[in-house]
């Protein structure tokens, strides 16, 4: 079989790129190892509950999720976190609520009076002159104080990136904040200036769909019809005249003018070994420690807490909780639990506690039940309890990550017609994956149209512009 573009992997990244390229009239073939589409995005219905085993909410700061919903005809199915979910909880000993508004942290009792004063001092601090890649923990401690970093940034690092602040790269994850420090001398001033100018700070909403996040890859696959093949594991890729030869574990060979690898980084690393040693090494250097999610459904009367928020995140450290955090799924979006019931999802693992994510499933359920009992007053047997263990969870953007992505971004220079996309490049969130897939599709389209290499290459500054926006 001969195609213009072979895409390896049918997660949100691969399917989005395929959809964009099909719209441009290219003949595309998506090759997916599993029988199921969507990669990390797994939404399961059981006993009236809708369980998200992977992503549960998409940030709409970038426009692609909304744009795709409209293009695929699923915008009526979008569900919005909405303004009613006004609280987030932090676990520091017990649960402490923080209201979601600009002064929420200043008015909560999470920080000591000294810690709150230290926050207010941020605009007075000198900007950093050193250009080296700083860790997330170092940046936030330096600008906003150690207490803020420990009680807010660390819980977020665990919850959003499955990482620890001391081992995450500020430059890779928060380039826009570094830019504010550089340009305005202060993050606080930078945010206020941008809010006032109403630029670079679009409204941040969290959305999903009635049938869960997996509704997006399902709609993308429908739009692609027969261009998606499941149970098609790509074993090797070799260069040949006019493109690439893709060998499948079963069912033969595909010939393609261009190839887009839209897999996890370790798979991309394996497939690149014979084609580009530098890119393979860069991919293999990106770790993704294991993660586990525990979904528990209860009758409403079994849980004492009002569940009046998005969920909680835990401050790590001595005497800390085992879970990095939990979501109050039935509060976040409608239809996540049957009438008279509530749904909770707990998260464990990542860089903070990789070994916990490998515990037997029954132990993980027991862990979640115990913690929900202590913190939320959940009692008795849950109505449903499911565990999903991810051998490789989220890619870790460690200091120096930018050097790896530079090597990877330049791959099409060294191997014309070979492209990469995925959550280890532009950011681990679904919205970053969609943005990356759009860029990859644009580069492939330009390549197939015979445009010069400069038009094809995804540059670092382009990525940073989008993150800043
Ligand atoms: C537990 C969890 C919770 C998360 N929560 C959120 C959240 O709430 N919000 C958010 O924005 N993000 C969240 N994320 C992150 C987000 O879900 C992922 O980063 C994103 O879905 C990755 O999509 P992808 O298409 O790049 O990769 P993947 O989803 O990993 O897809 C890669 C695909 O490639 C296939 N493949 C692999 N090898 C081969 C091969 N040899 N041949 C053919 N196919 C192959 C795989 O089977 C897979 O389907 C979460 C992730 C996890 C694990």
């Amino acid at each position: 079989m001969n195609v213009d573009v072979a895409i390896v992997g049918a997660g949100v990244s691969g399917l989005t790129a395929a959809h964009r390229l099909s719209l441009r009239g290219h003949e595309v073939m998506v090759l997916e190892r599993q029988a199921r589409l969507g990669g990390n995005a797994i939404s399961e219905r059981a006993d009236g509950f809708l369980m998200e085993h992977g992503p549960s909410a998409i940030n709409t700061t970038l426009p692609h999720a909304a744009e795709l919903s409209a293009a695929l005809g699923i915008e009526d199915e979008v569900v919005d976190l909405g303004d009613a979910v006004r609280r987030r909880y932090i676990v520091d000993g017990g649960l402490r609520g923080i209201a979601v508004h600009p002064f929420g942290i200043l008015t909560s009792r999470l920080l000591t009076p000294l810690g709150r004063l230290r926050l207010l001092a941020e605009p007075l601090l000198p900007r950093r002159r050193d250009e080296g890649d700083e860790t997330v923990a170092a940046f936030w401690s330096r600008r906003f104080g150690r207490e803020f970093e420990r009680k807010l940034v660390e819980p977020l690092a665990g919850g959003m990136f499955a990482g620890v602040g001391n081992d995450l790269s500020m430059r890779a994850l928060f380039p826009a904040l570094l830019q504010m420090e550089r340009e305005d001398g202060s993050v606080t001033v930078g945010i206020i200036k941008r809010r006032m100018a109403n630029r670079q700070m679009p409204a941040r909403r969290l959305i999903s769909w009635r049938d869960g996040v997996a509704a997006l890859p399902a709609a993308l696959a429908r739009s692609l019809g027969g261009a998606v093949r499941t149970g098609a594991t790509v074993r090797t890729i070799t260069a040949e005249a006019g493109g690439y030869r893709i060998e499948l574990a079963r069912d033969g060979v595909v010939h393609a003018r261009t190839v887009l690898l839209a897999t996890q980084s370790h798979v991309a690393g394996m497939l690149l070994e014979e084609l580009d040693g530098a890119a393979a090494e860069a991919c293999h250097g990106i770790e993704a420690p294991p993660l586990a999610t525990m979904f528990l459904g209860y009758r409403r009367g079994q849980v004492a807490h009002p569940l009046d928020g998005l969920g909680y995140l835990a401050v790590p450290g001595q005497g800390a909780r085992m879970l990095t955090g939990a979501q109050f799924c039935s509060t976040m979006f409608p239809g996540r639990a049957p009438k008279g019931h509530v749904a909770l999802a707990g998260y464990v693992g990542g860089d903070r506690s990789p070994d916990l994510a490998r515990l037997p499933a029954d132990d993980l359920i027991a862990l979640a039940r115990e913690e929900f009992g202590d913190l939320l007053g959940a009692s008795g047997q849950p109505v449903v309890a499911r565990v999903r263990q991810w051998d490789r969870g989220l890619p870790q953007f460690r200091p120096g990550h930018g050097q790896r992505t530079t090597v990877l971004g330049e791959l099409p220079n060294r191997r014309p017609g070979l492209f990469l996309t995925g959550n280890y490049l532009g950011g681990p969130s679904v919205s970053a994956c969609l943005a990356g897939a759009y860029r990859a599709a644009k580069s492939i389209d330009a390549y197939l149209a015979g445009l010069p290499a400069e038009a094809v290459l995804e540059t670092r500054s382009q990525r940073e512009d989008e993150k800043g926006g």
Side-chain angles (χ1 to χ4, degrees):
M1 169 179 289
N2 290 288
V3 291
D4 294 331
V5 193
I7 297 181
V8 187
V12 289
S13 298
L15 290 170
T16 299
H19 170 73
R20 302 289 295 169
L21 287 159
S22 298
L23 288 180
R24 299 286 298 163
H26 301 297
E27 197 185 344
V28 176
M29 173 59 64
V30 184
L31 302 163
E32 167 56 48
R33 178 177 65 83
Q34 301 185 69
R36 189 185 52 74
L37 300 169
N40 281 174
I42 306 177
S43 313
E44 181 193 352
R45 279 200 188 278
D47 302 328
F49 290 88
L50 178 72
M51 313 174 197
E52 295 286 19
H53 298 292
S56 55
I58 299 182
N59 177 347
T60 59
T61 312
L62 297 172
H64 312 93
E67 218 174 276
L68 283 172
S69 278
L72 296 165
I74 54 168
E75 72 265 58
D76 291 347
E77 295 170 31
V78 169
V79 287
D80 206 313
L81 188 66
D83 292 339
V85 187
R86 300 293 296 162
R87 291 180 91 71
R88 309 286 189 267
Y89 286 92
I90 298 285
V91 185
D92 187 19
L95 277 182
R96 288 179 187 275
I98 298 179
V100 184
H101 59 71
F103 301 108
I105 293 160
L106 284 177
T107 52
S108 96
R109 300 172 76 93
L110 178 69
L111 299 184
T112 59
L114 212 61
R116 282 179 255 169
L117 270 179
R118 177 66 178 77
L119 273 187
L120 295 172
E122 195 270 341
L124 310 174
L125 301 177
R127 75 188 80 191
R128 181 174 183 249
R129 303 274 169 206
D130 187 341
E131 286 293 306
D133 194 0
E134 198 175 16
T135 67
V136 165
F139 174 88
W140 289 94
S141 296
R142 181 169 63 73
R143 296 282 346 157
F144 293 95
R146 175 77 189 108
E147 192 185 359
F148 179 83
E149 191 282 321
R150 194 181 76 76
K151 291 188 176 171
L152 272 136
V153 178
E154 276 309 326
L156 271 172
M160 282 177 70
F161 305 118
V164 293
N166 261 329
D167 218 355
L168 289 172
S169 156
M170 193 62 201
R171 188 179 287 165
L173 292 170
F174 300 104
L177 299 185
L178 290 177
Q179 191 187 348
M180 288 178 198
E181 183 186 20
R182 225 173 21 247
E183 288 176 3
D184 304 307
S186 146
V187 176
T188 315
V189 172
I191 291 176
I192 293 172
K193 270 173 77 173
R194 281 160 181 77
R195 280 251 155 90
M196 282 170 64
N198 200 21
R199 88 186 150 91
Q200 293 195 5
M201 300 297 277
R204 184 179 184 274
R205 281 169 62 214
L206 287 175
I207 61 157
S208 180
W209 290 266
R210 268 204 299 275
D211 287 332
V213 171
L216 177 64
L220 285 164
R222 276 197 302 277
S223 81
L224 291 162
V228 184
R229 273 175 69 180
T230 53
T233 303
V234 172
R235 207 166 51 184
T236 57
I237 301 173
T238 43
E240 64 180 6
Y244 292 90
R245 179 180 195 276
I246 297 148
E247 197 173 312
L248 305 179
R250 286 180 291 137
D251 293 346
V253 167
V254 175
H255 301 273
R257 287 172 67 197
T258 62
V259 176
L260 175 63
L261 297 182
T263 64
Q264 306 89 326
S265 63
H266 71 284
V267 179
M270 249 154 47
L271 294 174
L272 285 168
E273 266 159 24
E274 299 298 315
L275 288 163
D276 191 284
E281 198 186 324
C283 283
H284 285 314
I286 300 169
E287 292 169 61
L291 261 184
T293 55
M294 291 82 77
F295 183 98
L296 270 62
Y298 290 94
R299 284 187 303 280
R300 184 67 191 93
Q302 287 180 274
V303 181
H305 194 274
L307 305 179
D308 53 345
L310 187 139
Y312 68 76
L313 291 171
V315 175
Q318 245 188 352
R321 302 285 166 172
M322 305 283 208
L323 272 58
T324 48
Q327 288 184 343
F328 306 158
C329 314
S330 45
T331 309
M332 288 172 67
F333 298 118
R336 269 40 183 170
K339 202 167 169 10
H341 291 74
V342 292
L344 304 170
Y347 298 85
V348 76
D351 245 7
R352 196 184 293 175
S353 51
D355 292 340
L356 284 183
R358 297 191 186 100
L359 286 175
D362 286 347
D363 292 1
L364 288 170
I365 290 175
L367 205 69
R369 280 185 64 186
E370 193 184 324
E371 191 164 309
F372 294 161
D374 269 8
L375 290 173
L376 307 172
S379 58
Q381 283 282 349
V383 184
V384 293
R386 293 272 206 288
V387 173
R388 173 92 199 183
Q389 288 171 285
W390 300 90
D391 278 350
R392 289 185 167 87
L394 293 179
Q396 295 300 299
F397 287 31
R398 303 199 193 285
H401 189 77
Q403 284 145 21
R404 293 201 171 99
T405 53
T406 301
V407 171
L408 296 173
E410 286 164 358
L411 175 66
N413 257 353
R414 302 186 298 268
R415 280 281 174 197
L418 186 55
F419 298 85
L420 298 173
T421 195
N423 64 3
Y424 56 98
L425 294 167
S429 69
V430 170
S431 59
C433 290
L434 302 182
Y438 268 55
R439 283 194 303 271
K442 201 168 160 194
S443 300
I444 293 170
D445 186 41
Y447 177 83
L448 289 171
L451 292 180
E454 309 82 72
V456 173
L457 276 181
E458 174 198 331
T459 64
R460 254 193 86 132
S461 61
Q462 201 184 336
R463 281 204 303 276
E464 288 185 358
D465 282 354
E466 281 181 36
K467 275 192 188 170

